[in-house]
Amino acid sequence: MSADSNISVEQRAADISGEFGEMGVDVPASAVQERIAAMQQFNVPLEEAATTTVRNLAEEYDVEDGDLSEDLSALAGFSGGASGSQAFERVMIGDIPDLGTEEWVDVRAQVVNLWEPKHDSMRQVGLIGDESAQMKFVVWQKNTDSLPTLEEGVTYDIASAITNEYEGKYSLSLNKASEVNESGAEDAVEPTDGKVRATGTLVALEDGSGLIKRCPHEDCTRVVQNGRCSEHGKVDGVFDLRLKAILDDGERAVRALFNAEMTEAVSGISLAKAKEMASEALDPSVVEGAIRDTLVGRTLDVRGPVVGEYFLVDEVAETGYSADNPGLSDAAIAPAVTKRQPAKRLFAEELNQANHSFTRPEDEGDDRAPKFTLLPSGEAANRVFVVGTLIETADVGGDSEFWKGRVMAAGEAVNIYAGQYQAEAMDMLRVADTPSYVAVVGKLHHYETDYGVKVSIQPESITVVNSEVRDSWVAETIDATQQRLGALADGNSDASDAVQSVYQSDVSNIEAAVEAAIDDIAPEPAPVQ
């Protein structure tokens, strides 16, 4: 039976039905699927739902544990070898994502937190950690009476736990095949604090950033909306400062939450200053605007835990791009990864050549589906991030304002157009000084002319930056472009055939742009003494 974490409910149900059928037990796949789906509606992960279904079916049809097939027995947690029958072979929690799902592992870990079980099928649920990582665990209720009740702060040797994965999050399950023993004092574990280091460019702020008000009631941190707390009703809120940001490394986008201290550390705006700004302007939104103007386009080095769908920042510093930066690839960050399309880094030479747009087959018929552009270097882009010199601005509208900007992003200029639906970007173009360095985040837009399809950026944001930010972007775009071109040349790009068909794989001008960019940011040679 496949242990692939991407297996569908239908396939899993068919596998279980088939296994029971070979044992002479007629269980329709549709009935199995209904049971699994019913549990998934209550947020039970697929593999846990399948495990429970197998156990329940075995009991309903009076199938003894020992009569189950090897695959069903493993899925039900009736096999796997506890430490009493084989040597304890410790696995570090941080290595579990590399092992995959439905693997039997032995771990030595401390119970960091215990939570209130949300389902009757759970006996205990919480967080365990070792020196490498922290991970959720579940002790299932059925047939685990022999296992001790785990206590916070105590280190245990846990043998024959099962790895599970749901939407990128790994956990451990303890069942009747597991064995738990308290570790000796000499083996006590000092768990990692669960914090992760990451780097990414701040490309957007989410609603709710800036100066906010929170409920004043003790232990209530809810944000007050229109003078009301969702829990306590009408209240006089207490001012607070926060930043809900999108960090992007070109491959993924992550939600990051900065509290007042971290917001001040990275923006220079304190809570007191924010209240002063809002009072003077009679508008608290000026704080969010000031933070956006200060931070969008900056690359940040952050550290903190991932809680829920947010990366909680408790250390932050502005940095520049380096190939040694960790980026946003750490598996522990997965819960904070958003569905927002990442912003690809590309030079104007490639951007201006990328004139083929498409909608993914799975989105056909959806008027709101994202549009993608096939890049000549072999990837698809929905959103881009460029930094360069704003050399020209003009109102090119007729009856209403419609502003155009031209930005030198390496050796060529790229066009930017902003109208009433890009009001903040249009305001920026209206007052911008030229020349000046700007960071632009936006989506590619294609339009027909007498000379063929042209490409421009429809900006989501335009912010003034300094030369260090520009040079950092050049270095990052060199690396990103070289990686795409390398995959294309090696035949490792999924878009090789499409690139050949649309662009005839002519990337010579892009390669030349990369070489020119390398020369552009290369350090000046030391003078001869």
Side-chain angles (χ1 to χ4, degrees):
M1 185 179 299
S2 172
D4 182 359
S5 62
N6 294 318
I7 193 169
S8 67
V9 176
E10 294 84 355
Q11 185 59 55
R12 176 61 84 206
D15 289 344
I16 293 173
S17 174
E19 292 281 346
F20 272 104
E22 292 181 6
M23 297 165 50
V25 178
D26 183 18
V27 184
S30 58
V32 178
Q33 183 175 334
E34 286 179 5
R35 292 177 183 234
I36 294 175
M39 281 183 276
Q40 285 193 302
Q41 289 180 354
F42 289 88
N43 297 317
V44 178
L46 170 58
E47 297 309 319
E48 295 296 349
T51 294
T52 302
T53 297
V54 171
R55 290 176 177 172
N56 291 341
L57 288 171
E59 184 173 334
E60 290 175 23
Y61 287 92
D62 295 324
V63 179
E64 296 294 330
D65 298 355
D67 294 332
L68 290 172
S69 68
E70 182 178 344
D71 284 337
L72 285 179
S73 184
L75 182 59
F78 297 153
S79 63
S83 59
S85 60
Q86 65 180 32
F88 183 87
E89 298 181 4
R90 186 185 182 193
V91 171
M92 302 303 290
I93 291 177
D95 294 333
I96 286 176
D98 295 329
L99 299 178
T101 188
E102 287 190 7
E103 295 292 333
W104 296 90
V105 295
D106 302 338
V107 299
R108 175 174 294 142
Q110 181 187 121
V111 178
V112 179
N113 290 115
L114 290 172
W115 307 325
E116 189 69 27
K118 294 183 178 180
H119 302 284
D120 292 340
S121 60
M122 296 178 178
R123 177 179 157 194
Q124 283 189 289
V125 60
L127 197 65
I128 58 173
D130 62 14
E131 301 88 340
S132 65
Q134 295 186 3
M135 185 171 288
K136 177 185 175 182
F137 77 93
V138 176
V139 181
W140 295 102
Q141 190 73 256
K142 189 172 182 179
N143 297 323
T144 59
D145 293 342
S146 62
L147 299 183
T149 298
L150 305 187
E151 299 178 8
E152 289 184 0
V154 178
T155 297
Y156 297 94
D157 283 357
I158 302 172
S160 294
I162 303 176
T163 65
N164 296 293
E165 182 268 343
Y166 179 64
E167 294 186 346
K169 304 176 188 178
Y170 277 83
S171 63
L172 287 173
S173 290
L174 281 65
N175 54 42
K176 66 175 292 185
S178 306
E179 184 173 316
V180 178
N181 294 292
E182 187 172 334
S183 304
E186 67 279 3
D187 293 324
V189 166
E190 186 64 37
T192 178
D193 59 9
K195 295 180 181 180
V196 184
R197 178 174 170 245
T199 52
T201 300
L202 195 153
V203 295
L205 300 186
E206 292 191 307
D207 290 342
S209 293
L211 190 63
I212 61 172
K213 282 189 174 183
R214 296 192 185 276
C215 178
H217 283 258
E218 186 176 0
D219 297 329
C220 183
T221 60
R222 290 175 175 83
V223 175
V224 173
Q225 301 283 358
N226 299 318
R228 297 186 64 84
C229 169
S230 60
E231 175 71 17
H232 299 103
K234 187 175 181 180
V235 295
D236 291 326
V238 178
F239 280 113
D240 193 12
L241 184 66
R242 73 173 179 186
L243 173 59
K244 296 172 67 177
I246 299 294
L247 299 182
D248 182 310
D249 68 353
E251 296 300 322
R252 59 196 57 78
V254 168
R255 286 190 176 93
L257 189 62
F258 298 67
N259 62 17
E261 180 184 359
M262 291 299 101
T263 301
E264 179 180 358
V266 73
S267 70
I269 298 175
S270 66
L271 177 56
K273 177 63 175 176
K275 290 192 288 186
E276 180 184 337
M277 292 167 61
S279 177
E280 291 178 352
L282 300 178
D283 180 5
S285 68
V286 299
V287 178
E288 180 182 349
I291 293 174
R292 180 184 295 106
D293 293 343
T294 301
L295 295 181
V296 170
R298 268 65 172 183
T299 298
L300 304 180
D301 190 317
V302 295
R303 188 171 185 271
V306 175
V307 178
E309 61 180 16
Y310 279 98
F311 188 113
L312 302 186
V313 177
D314 55 23
E315 294 180 35
V316 59
E318 186 171 349
T319 188
Y321 173 76
S322 166
D324 295 328
N325 285 349
L328 300 168
S329 61
D330 195 306
I333 301 176
V337 174
T338 78
K339 294 183 179 180
R340 174 188 169 100
Q341 293 296 327
K344 297 295 182 180
R345 280 64 163 164
L346 58 157
F347 293 123
E349 286 84 345
E350 179 170 10
L351 189 151
N352 289 332
Q353 187 180 337
N355 57 16
H356 178 74
S357 62
F358 65 95
T359 302
R360 294 176 301 190
E362 61 266 32
D363 293 329
E364 288 293 340
D366 183 356
D367 293 337
R368 302 181 65 181
K371 293 283 188 180
F372 289 85
T373 295
L374 178 66
L375 302 182
S377 58
E379 287 189 10
N382 169 261
R383 180 177 278 109
V384 296
F385 170 54
V386 301
V387 182
T389 306
L390 181 65
I391 57 174
E392 178 185 344
T393 62
D395 181 1
V396 295
D399 296 334
S400 61
E401 282 186 287
F402 191 68
W403 282 76
K404 173 184 178 180
R406 286 175 57 77
V407 174
M408 291 295 298
E412 290 185 9
V414 59
N415 291 329
I416 300 170
Y417 291 98
Q420 60 177 326
Y421 297 112
Q422 300 83 37
E424 292 176 352
M426 185 171 67
D427 289 344
M428 173 62 192
L429 291 175
R430 187 188 297 119
V431 301
D433 293 328
T434 55
S436 60
Y437 288 122
V438 293
V440 182
V441 179
K443 296 186 177 182
L444 294 182
H445 177 67
H446 301 84
Y447 56 98
E448 294 280 352
T449 72
D450 293 339
Y451 305 99
V453 176
K454 297 296 182 181
V455 186
S456 65
I457 298 177
Q458 190 175 75
E460 297 168 343
S461 66
I462 305 173
T463 53
V464 175
V465 297
N466 56 33
S467 60
E468 287 79 10
V469 172
R470 183 262 183 186
D471 289 348
S472 174
W473 173 82
V474 171
E476 184 176 12
T477 306
I478 289 171
D479 277 0
T481 306
Q482 287 178 330
Q483 290 177 22
R484 294 195 299 267
L485 291 175
L488 185 67
D490 295 339
N492 296 326
S493 171
D494 294 337
S496 296
D497 291 343
V499 169
Q500 175 60 37
S501 174
V502 174
Y503 302 115
Q504 290 72 54
S505 296
D506 182 7
V507 295
S508 56
N509 66 323
I510 302 173
E511 292 172 333
V514 170
E515 293 302 318
I518 293 173
D519 291 340
D520 179 43
I521 62 172
E524 293 289 338
V528 178
Q529 299 294 327

